[in-house]
Amino acid sequence: QVQLVESGGGLVQAGGSLRLSCVASGGFFSFNAMGWYRQAPGKQRELVAVITSGGTTNYVDSVKGRFTISRDNAKNTVYLQMNSLKPEDTAVYYCNAQTLQLRTTGWAPKDYWGQGTQVTVSS
């Protein structure tokens, strides 16, 4: 029932900017964390940025100072503002949202994924 939909990807020149958006729909549960991953052809998927419901953020070293993640908890929406883009940022970017589920063994995370949006940076 839960669905994540990304938007905002595209083709830009080096030094340009893009803002990615991800909205979660079809559910009534609030996500405790949302974030962005990316994967280039032939490479492993890596975590780019994450934000918790409390506002704590973390970034991969390669994007620190250039990317900013933000969240609208009421709308279960996460954004990724990408500035000073470089060709090495080229990848498919995936939205991720996480909830905590109570099991008989205790609390456990559950992840939801979007289908991805292509970001291509030329030069």
Side-chain angles (χ1 to χ4, degrees), residues 11-65:
L11 173 64
V12 298
Q13 294 260 97
S17 299
L18 285 173
R19 190 178 80 152
L20 305 184
S21 300
C22 173
V23 59
S25 62
F28 301 98
F29 198 89
S30 296
F31 298 103
N32 63 285
M34 299 184 75
W36 293 92
Y37 289 73
R38 67 185 180 187
Q39 187 170 26
K43 296 184 178 180
Q44 299 261 223
R45 184 175 299 187
E46 67 171 348
L47 176 65
V48 179
V50 63
I51 185 168
T52 69
S53 60
T56 301
T57 60
N58 285 286
Y59 301 88
V60 67
D61 287 343
S62 60
V63 309
K64 288 180 179 177

Side-chain angles (χ1 to χ4, degrees), residues 5 11-12 27 30 33 35 41 48 51 55 66 76 81 83 88 91 94-95 112 114 120-121:
V5 180
L11 173 64
V12 298
S30 296
V48 179
I51 185 168
R66 300 188 297 119
N76 286 332
Q81 179 66 47
N83 298 326
E88 49 263 46
Y94 296 91
C95 179
Y112 299 89
T120 303
V121 185

Side-chain angles (χ1 to χ4, degrees), residues 65-120:
R66 300 188 297 119
F67 291 9
T68 302
I69 188 169
S70 60
R71 178 176 178 174
D72 185 336
N73 289 330
K75 297 182 179 296
N76 286 332
T77 301
V78 65
Y79 307 92
L80 186 66
Q81 179 66 47
M82 305 185 294
N83 298 326
S84 301
L85 283 162
K86 304 175 180 180
E88 49 263 46
D89 295 318
T90 296
V92 177
Y93 284 70
Y94 296 91
C95 179
N96 170 267
Q98 187 178 87
T99 65
L100 290 176
Q101 295 183 323
L102 182 59
R103 308 286 184 84
T104 56
T105 55
W107 293 98
K110 180 175 176 62
D111 290 287
Y112 299 89
W113 295 90
Q115 293 185 335
T117 184
Q118 178 71 48
V119 172
T120 303

